Amino acid sequence: MDCSENATMESPEYVRLSLAAAMTLGFKSGLFYRDAQLHCMNLLLTYESGCAACCAYCGLAGRGKTDDRGKRFIRVQWPAYHLDRIIDAISESREAVKRVCISMITRNRAAKDTKDICAHVRSQLDIPVSLLVSPTVLGPNDLLDFRRAGADKIGVAIDLATPLLFDKYRGSGVKGPHQWEIYWDCLSRAIDIFGKDNAGVHLMVGMGETEKEMCATIQKVSDMGGRTHLFSFFPESNSMMADHRRPALPRYRRIQLARHIIDAGYGHEEEFSYHDNGRIRDLGLTQKACSEIIDSGEPFQTSGCEGEDGQVACNRPFANSRPGPHLRNYPFAPSDEDMDLIRRQIGF
């Protein structure tokens, strides 16, 4: 049963699943392009009143009709299901499902509901649980409470690479509630509480930042002890940025490579060099070392929280690009044919 059948289905009893997650659990029919597999079940909190934020690029922003809010997000529908039904289905698919991620939206009750959902999932399933939090509505003890509820990783969707862009698209520029400093303070506290590499940020390429600005922000996160999960902007049809252009693939490829070099410890942003317009010129490595990193294919796979096997579980198949030959984030290891295309796309 999805939320279109009953508008009062709300968290914590109900959550939304991405279409990919619903397919993985057998709730929806369909096939994945190139037999991709999703290993992380993304549970999105849902309320009849929607999200109180106004982020210009987000399909959840509380500007549309109430009965449309939350039903389409990141290109696809997010049907709602009873939490216990989801838990039962995950239990039956435990070998394929390696992690659960609970995503807050901006509502005052969301922190308590997130704790309750996390604790309930952990009481029923022996599975790691990540939380994607909304710092704007968190109290001083909520991060500690999340850890006590059983979460092992925290994500903070800062999204924008600079304070000016953050304010333009998430803060005063759209009359939204979010503040740059609060998000970064939350990240810092999450790293202190959950430990190095157990907290990180979402950053989105293509919002007006230069490659240099994005690389500097990725390095800042790494220096704090966090990780970056990288996204390419995709225009949401029901958002204020529905007509905004996606970043060029060569640009995204260069930043993917830079992120991998930083987060894997192969180099530091201070060693990079840039053209006058902020485009990456050189990543501070020998040509041989850079080629070996590119040839591994790892920089171009989805960056996300790992499962118990140490491999990325939150691989989000086709979350920020349509299925086809020009994937932005690969949810599997790129093939030799993919790598030939990627090498041409990087533009070095």
Side-chain angles (χ1 to χ4, degrees):
M1 184 180 294
D2 64 39
C3 208
S4 63
E5 298 178 38
N6 186 340
T8 61
M9 291 181 179
E10 292 191 329
S11 299
E13 289 83 8
Y14 289 84
V15 292
R16 294 189 180 274
L17 285 179
S18 69
L19 179 60
M23 288 167 55
T24 298
L25 296 181
F27 297 164
K28 294 284 186 181
S29 61
L31 298 173
F32 285 104
Y33 175 68
R34 290 175 58 176
D35 295 324
Q37 294 184 343
L38 174 68
H39 299 298
C40 178
M41 296 298 104
N42 300 99
L43 315 183
L44 178 67
L45 271 63
T46 182
Y47 302 107
E48 185 178 0
S49 54
C51 183
C54 304
C55 304
Y57 49 87
C58 182
L60 299 180
R63 292 179 179 271
K65 296 179 181 178
T66 300
D67 58 1
D68 289 335
R69 292 176 190 169
K71 293 185 179 180
R72 292 193 65 84
F73 177 49
I74 319 180
R75 300 196 314 103
V76 299
Q77 291 190 350
W78 286 65
Y81 300 94
H82 196 283
L83 179 60
D84 285 333
R85 183 182 175 193
I86 294 171
I87 289 172
D88 289 344
I90 292 174
S91 180
E92 294 174 3
S93 306
R94 187 62 182 87
E95 289 187 7
V97 180
K98 301 177 180 179
R99 177 171 285 277
V100 169
C101 182
I102 304 166
S103 297
M104 294 177 62
I105 64 173
T106 305
R107 280 290 167 193
N108 287 333
R109 59 185 278 193
K112 181 183 184 304
D113 290 343
T114 299
K115 296 171 198 174
D116 291 344
I117 293 169
C118 181
H120 188 54
V121 169
R122 290 288 292 149
S123 72
Q124 301 297 312
L125 295 170
D126 183 17
I127 193 169
V129 175
S130 305
L131 305 180
L132 184 62
V133 302
S134 179
T136 300
V137 294
L138 294 186
N141 297 317
D142 283 333
L143 288 172
L144 281 169
D145 289 344
F146 292 153
R147 185 173 179 181
R148 295 186 187 106
D152 72 330
K153 292 183 183 293
I154 293 291
V156 182
I158 293 177
D159 290 347
L160 288 308
T162 73
L164 289 178
L165 289 172
F166 186 99
D167 193 52
K168 177 180 180 180
Y169 292 121
R170 308 198 72 185
S172 65
V174 289
K175 299 181 180 178
H178 300 319
Q179 297 180 40
W180 173 263
E181 294 81 5
I182 288 176
Y183 269 65
W184 282 94
D185 178 66
C186 179
L187 174 64
S188 178
R189 290 187 292 115
I191 293 169
D192 287 343
I193 292 169
F194 286 83
K196 184 177 184 295
D197 294 335
N198 287 324
V201 304
H202 289 186
L203 291 174
M204 184 163 51
V205 176
M207 299 296 289
E209 77 290 336
T210 66
E211 294 176 25
K212 181 177 182 179
E213 288 170 335
M214 181 59 76
C215 290
T217 301
I218 294 169
Q219 187 64 64
K220 177 180 178 179
V221 175
S222 179
D223 289 346
M224 292 172 65
R227 306 290 294 275
T228 292
H229 305 158
L230 199 65
F231 293 77
S232 176
F233 170 80
F234 188 95
E236 296 273 4
S237 60
N238 53 337
S239 74
M240 287 184 280
M241 298 185 70
D243 297 324
H244 189 78
R245 295 182 63 181
R246 290 184 294 168
L249 256 173
R251 183 162 179 256
Y252 190 59
R253 294 289 183 234
R254 289 189 294 271
I255 295 175
Q256 283 181 305
L257 180 56
R259 182 213 64 83
H260 185 74
I261 287 170
I262 291 169
D263 276 4
Y266 294 127
H268 196 283
E269 191 273 334
E270 290 181 352
E271 300 164 347
F272 298 176
S273 63
Y274 304 90
H275 296 277
D276 289 344
N277 63 358
R279 172 180 164 172
I280 296 169
R281 183 203 306 268
D282 182 85
L283 291 167
L285 302 174
T286 65
Q287 184 175 354
K288 180 176 183 293
C290 194
S291 294
E292 288 176 350
I293 294 170
I294 292 171
D295 290 346
S296 74
E298 292 181 19
F300 316 105
Q301 293 181 241
T302 306
S303 49
C305 293
E306 301 88 356
E308 295 161 304
D309 59 1
Q311 302 300 308
V312 171
C314 191
N315 59 339
R316 305 182 296 276
F318 322 119
N320 58 6
S321 61
R322 295 184 178 93
H326 299 287
L327 296 178
R328 300 274 166 153
N329 295 345
Y330 285 82
F332 38 64
S335 67
D336 290 343
E337 184 178 352
D338 295 328
M339 289 308 306
D340 288 341
L341 182 61
I342 288 168
R343 291 185 194 96
R344 295 195 298 271
Q345 290 169 340
I346 291 175
F348 280 155

